[in-house]
Amino acid sequence: MIVRKLQDIRGSDRNVKSDGWESARLLLRDDGMGFSFHVTTMYAGEQLQMHYQNHLEAVLVLKGTGTIEDLGTGITHDLAPGVMYALDAHDRHVVRPATDILCACVFNPPVTGREVHDASGAYPADTDMPRVLEAAG
Amino acid sequence: MIVRKLQDIRGSDRNVKSDGWESARLLLRDDGMGFSFHVTTMYAGEQLQMHYQNHLEAVLVLKGTGTIEDLGTGITHDLAPGVMYALDAHDRHVVRPATDILCACVFNPPVTGREVHDASGAYPADTDMPRVLEAAG
């Protein structure tokens, strides 16, 4: 059994900050659960365009409001606590937080935790792991 | 893209109530995400002994307090908002909610949503799906 506290993750290298968002990775690939599990904050006023080409992601909004636009259909959905969206078709999308949005995120396959650093050039490409492009979460 | 609201799930057959807990299934196996994603309430004063023999589960506490006892090690951990536990070894465990505990739960493989009914005899065994025994969540 793995037991972790969000407040401990916040102070560790499992808490990743990037442009417009930060994410506390409660579970990563190495934990062997078959998914990764994050608590992510998307900052008010940002416009976060994302496209997970190699991952499925589900997001449950815990706090905050905003919108998500499905760039495939052009449909915009309101985000508020209790709204869940699932990117079951590698959907290209834009999240526009009106306030800071706190959410619980699940990725399949699990992310390794190195993707963000990889995109920033801090690490070489992880050749045994599909790349996350334009990734946040 | 799938978008669902917890309040809508609450009023549907995806909201399952059983002894000591209830669970709103935001995503089930048929959604094709490779995991299921639930918002579960474990009721104050209950003693929930669980053993997922065929599933891995991660739980993030959103509200409430209590404890989880790992029956394999005898160790008891406090539960409070921001605590995550992951049953990475099919751990036998007991949750004792001091207050109602609201949590976000992820199952791998995803549950079908029929397991609870199955255990109650309302449905025949799902032969293409591992059985969940003593299951809650």
Side-chain angles (χ1 to χ4, degrees):
Chain A
M1 182 184 300
I2 301 166
V3 180
R4 294 186 178 130
K5 297 179 183 180
L6 180 58
Q7 65 196 56
D8 296 336
I9 302 285
R10 292 289 192 206
S12 78
D13 61 3
R14 284 171 166 265
N15 196 70
V16 176
K17 298 185 182 188
S18 188
D19 289 343
W21 57 274
E22 69 176 285
S23 186
R25 276 70 186 269
L26 299 169
L27 292 170
L28 288 167
R29 187 181 63 170
D30 287 351
D31 293 308
M33 296 292 287
F35 55 85
S36 57
F37 197 19
H38 315 176
V39 173
T40 297
T41 306
M42 296 183 282
Y43 297 134
E46 297 286 344
Q47 177 162 303
L48 300 163
Q49 183 163 338
M50 292 172 273
H51 183 200
Y52 297 109
Q53 295 183 314
N54 299 300
H55 293 74
L56 305 179
E57 185 195 19
V59 175
L60 172 64
V61 177
L62 304 176
K63 295 181 182 176
T65 59
T67 62
I68 180 170
E69 179 180 354
D70 181 336
L71 294 176
T73 64
I75 297 174
T76 294
H77 306 270
D78 288 335
L79 298 178
V83 174
M84 186 277 311
Y85 62 87
L87 306 168
D88 61 335
H90 307 286
D91 314 77
R92 293 176 59 242
H93 63 287
V94 182
V95 176
R96 297 181 177 91
T99 69
D100 285 359
I101 292 179
L102 185 74
C103 51
C105 309
V106 186
F107 280 81
N108 173 26
V111 304
T112 65
R114 292 193 295 274
E115 290 83 358
V116 170
H117 302 285
D118 188 61
S120 75
Y123 289 99
D126 182 358
T127 54
D128 67 342
M129 176 72 190
R131 288 290 298 277
V132 180
L133 301 178
E134 303 176 67
Chain B
M1 183 183 301
I2 300 166
V3 180
R4 295 187 177 132
K5 298 179 181 179
L6 179 57
Q7 65 196 54
D8 295 335
I9 301 284
R10 292 289 192 207
S12 78
D13 61 3
R14 285 173 166 263
N15 196 70
V16 176
K17 298 186 181 186
S18 188
D19 289 341
W21 57 273
E22 70 176 284
S23 185
R25 276 72 186 268
L26 299 169
L27 292 170
L28 288 168
R29 187 181 62 171
D30 287 351
D31 293 310
M33 296 292 287
F35 55 85
S36 57
F37 197 18
H38 315 176
V39 173
T40 297
T41 306
M42 296 182 282
Y43 297 132
E46 298 286 343
Q47 178 163 303
L48 300 162
Q49 182 163 335
M50 292 171 273
H51 184 203
Y52 297 108
Q53 296 183 314
N54 299 300
H55 293 74
L56 305 178
E57 185 197 18
V59 175
L60 173 64
V61 177
L62 303 176
K63 295 181 182 175
T65 59
T67 62
I68 180 171
E69 180 181 353
D70 182 337
L71 294 175
T73 65
I75 297 174
T76 295
H77 306 270
D78 288 335
L79 298 178
V83 174
M84 186 280 310
Y85 63 86
L87 306 168
D88 62 335
H90 306 286
D91 315 77
R92 294 176 57 240
H93 64 288
V94 182
V95 175
R96 296 181 178 91
T99 68
D100 285 359
I101 291 178
L102 185 74
C103 51
C105 309
V106 186
F107 281 81
N108 173 28
V111 303
T112 64
R114 292 192 295 274
E115 290 82 0
V116 171
H117 302 284
D118 190 63
S120 74
Y123 290 101
D126 183 358
T127 54
D128 67 341
M129 177 70 190
R131 288 289 297 276
V132 180
L133 301 177
E134 303 177 67

